[in-house]
């Protein structure tokens, strides 16, 4: 095997591929990146950990076609450190030499015949705008659990009904829902998938900038798999197995009390007041006519308080939240104003965005947060 490739092109591709390499591979070959040099001038790079696969295709001057397996993380570090010159890669027996300008590295190869077969990319189910996908996934994944002992809640539930896609995530303390529109290959498509939030986040960040993202879904056919493709990059991931809890019913049909506050001002005030909130202690928000008062700390501890302008419809109400969960919800909104809808001081509070103080609340993104009970 022998080929020449541009340094930036190689570094970018290998770095992206290496992102999905397992930190503790169950077998040594899974720490490798498979490089396939084709006679038609295409370099195919791949990684796989039995759950997530990543593939990238880049142009190269291929003198001798061939396939090789080398340490992915080491190749990524080397390719980023090389000078800005063409890179020559040559397989010589059991070693690969990487030459770039005056720099020369020799890497040991791994047995490529021991590498598992990569899963096939599922057929196209539909296409979604990359920027919209990136934004939607970021908004929802904040609510996904990071506790691997509850694998079901570390996923994002993807519900597809025709042109509408709904993303849902919860960690039992909050729930995020985001609706978006896509272009399905079959207008009558109806499917559900549970995708690991971490994988979905990586895909959205790395493929979202490519314009549109092709999504393929294969369910009920032995192996349940989702695939993403954009800009010469492909990723597949096994779906999380299990029945997701029926979380949609947690959203109240109507809310007798709601308040509207400037999102940025509330975010800044919450950050300031949270400085005195000890670990696991809440921020209290007390809503009354024309204002909301934020305060934290009590007794002999440090205390903070700040009042902000707010519009309130309904009775005065006071709630307390985990400061980080509150800030996560506010930062995910991306709207000038936030509406907080209440049913009861101890029941979950729904956050939605508004473009203006008196405007309609936008239901495409909804963030439900469970308040913390506090001694009045």
């Amino acid at each position: 095997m022998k080929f020449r490739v541009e340094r930036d092109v190689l570094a970018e591709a290998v770095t992206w591929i290496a992102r999905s390499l397992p930190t503790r591979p169950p077998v040594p070959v899974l720490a490798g990146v498979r490089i396939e040099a084709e006679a038609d001038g295409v370099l195919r790079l791949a990684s796989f950990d039995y759950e997530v696969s990543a593939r990238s295709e880049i142009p190269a001057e291929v003198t001798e076609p061939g396939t090789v397996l080398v340490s992915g993380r080491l190749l990524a570090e080397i390719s980023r450190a090389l000078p800005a010159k063409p890179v020559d890669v040559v397989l010589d027996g059991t070693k690969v030499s990487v030459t770039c300008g005056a720099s020369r590295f020799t890497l040991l190869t791994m047995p490529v015949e021991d590498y598992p077969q990569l899963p096939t990319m599922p057929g196209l189910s539909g296409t979604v705008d990359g920027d919209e996908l990136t934004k939607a996934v970021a908004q929802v994944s904040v609510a996904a659990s990071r506790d691997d002992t509850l694998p079901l809640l570390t996923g994002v539930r993807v519900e597809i009904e025709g042109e509408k896609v709904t993303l849902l995530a919860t960690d039992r303390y909050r729930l995020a829902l985001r609706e978006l529109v896509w272009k399905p290959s079959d207008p009558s498509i109806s499917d559900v998938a549970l995708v690991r939030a971490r994988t979905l986040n990586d895909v959205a960040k790395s493929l979202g900038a490519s314009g549109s993202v092709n999504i393929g879904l294969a369910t009920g056919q032995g192996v349940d798999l989702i695939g993403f493709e954009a800009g010469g990059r492909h990723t597949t991931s096994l779906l999380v197995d299990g029945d997701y809890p029926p979380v949609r019913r947690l959203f109240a049909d109507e809310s007798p009390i709601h308040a509207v506050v400037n999102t940025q001002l509330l975010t800044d005030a919450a950050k300031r007041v949270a400085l005195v909130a000890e670990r696991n202690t809440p921020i209290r928000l007390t809503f009354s006519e024309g204002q909301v008062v934020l305060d934290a700390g009590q007794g002999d501890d440090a205390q903070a308080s700040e009042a902000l302008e707010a519009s309130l419809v309904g009775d005065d109400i006071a709630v307390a939240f985990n400061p980080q969960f509150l800030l996560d919800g506010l930062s995910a909104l991306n709207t000038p104003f936030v509406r907080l809808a209440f049913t009861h001081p101890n029941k979950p509070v729904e956050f939605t965005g508004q473009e203006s103080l008196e405007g309609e609340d936008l239901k495409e993104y909804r963030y439900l947060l469970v308040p913390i009970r506090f001694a009045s």
Side-chain angles (χ1 to χ4, degrees):
M1 187 186 76
K2 186 177 181 182
F3 64 85
R4 169 175 278 202
V5 64
E6 288 302 319
R7 177 258 187 189
D8 288 351
V9 174
L10 178 69
E12 196 180 323
V14 176
T15 300
W16 182 74
I17 289 287
R19 281 170 63 169
S20 53
L21 289 171
T23 44
R24 285 189 285 275
V27 287
V29 289
L30 294 185
V33 162
R34 195 184 76 182
I35 303 171
E36 206 174 333
E38 303 274 5
D40 58 0
V42 175
L43 208 59
R44 290 187 170 86
L45 299 98
S47 67
F48 186 37
D49 68 355
Y50 293 126
E51 282 187 358
V52 177
S53 78
R55 276 169 274 200
S56 183
E57 295 177 2
I58 56 172
E61 293 174 30
V62 179
T63 313
E64 292 175 28
T67 306
V68 72
L69 188 68
V70 293
S71 166
R73 290 212 158 80
L74 185 56
L75 182 61
E77 286 171 8
I78 288 170
S79 59
R80 286 196 298 266
L82 292 172
K85 293 179 178 177
V87 183
D88 289 298
V89 179
V90 181
L91 173 63
D92 185 11
T94 59
K95 294 181 179 179
V96 170
S97 73
V98 179
T99 310
C100 180
S103 302
R104 187 165 187 270
F105 292 86
T106 305
L107 301 178
L108 289 175
T109 62
M110 300 175 182
V112 75
E113 61 276 5
D114 292 350
Y115 201 71
Q117 186 176 350
L118 293 166
T120 309
M121 178 84 179
L124 181 68
S125 300
T127 304
V128 66
D129 179 78
D131 289 338
E132 189 75 357
L133 179 68
T134 305
K135 187 173 152 187
V137 169
Q139 286 179 307
V140 168
S141 58
V142 293
S145 175
R146 282 133 182 93
D147 182 0
D148 287 327
T149 60
L150 295 166
L152 208 62
L153 300 186
T154 62
V156 172
R157 180 176 165 92
V158 182
E159 299 177 352
I160 301 170
E161 284 295 335
E163 292 186 345
K164 190 169 86 170
V165 178
T166 306
L167 306 179
L168 287 152
T170 183
D171 60 4
R172 295 179 301 167
Y173 306 106
R174 59 233 174 115
L175 164 63
L177 177 151
R178 172 68 150 84
E179 293 177 345
L180 65 155
V181 174
W182 77 332
K183 293 176 186 166
S185 46
D186 174 8
S188 63
I189 188 171
S190 177
D191 216 333
V192 173
L194 190 56
V195 190
R196 286 171 188 79
R198 192 168 57 238
T199 304
L200 198 55
N201 242 327
D202 277 351
V203 165
K205 283 177 185 170
S206 58
L207 300 186
S210 305
S212 59
V213 179
N214 294 330
I215 300 175
L217 198 55
T219 56
Q221 301 163 18
V223 178
D224 290 345
L225 200 68
I226 191 167
F228 303 88
E229 185 272 320
R233 292 176 176 179
H234 310 249
T235 293
T236 65
S237 174
L238 288 178
L239 298 179
V240 182
D241 198 24
D243 295 323
Y244 204 68
V247 291
R248 272 180 182 268
R249 65 184 186 193
L250 297 173
F251 289 105
D253 293 330
E254 53 185 44
S255 308
I257 306 168
H258 75 260
V260 181
V261 193
N262 180 292
T263 310
Q264 191 60 54
L265 295 181
L266 183 58
T267 303
D268 294 343
K271 283 178 181 174
R272 285 190 287 269
V273 171
L275 294 173
V276 302
E278 295 292 325
R279 184 176 167 80
N280 296 328
T281 61
I283 289 183
R284 290 181 295 277
L285 280 73
T286 307
F287 292 90
S288 55
E289 183 60 44
Q291 71 166 15
V292 55
V293 177
L294 294 82
D295 66 279
Q298 55 189 4
D300 298 330
D301 298 330
Q303 296 175 27
S305 174
E306 186 166 339
L308 288 177
E309 197 179 321
S311 80
L312 177 68
V313 173
D315 299 334
D316 292 3
I317 193 166
V319 288
F321 295 121
N322 172 306
Q324 192 53 55
F325 291 178
L326 171 64
L327 290 167
D328 284 346
L330 293 174
S331 64
L333 280 168
N334 302 322
T335 52
F337 292 88
V338 54
R339 176 193 288 224
L340 293 85
F342 309 91
T343 52
H344 182 275
N346 294 327
K347 292 280 176 69
V349 178
E350 184 179 328
F351 292 65
T352 49
Q354 288 188 193
E355 291 297 336
S356 63
L357 189 62
E358 304 294 334
E360 283 290 308
D361 63 324
L362 308 169
K363 291 287 190 184
E364 68 174 23
Y365 179 65
R366 303 161 79 182
Y367 183 81
L368 201 64
L369 182 54
V370 177
I372 297 170
R373 290 172 184 262
F374 62 95
S376 54

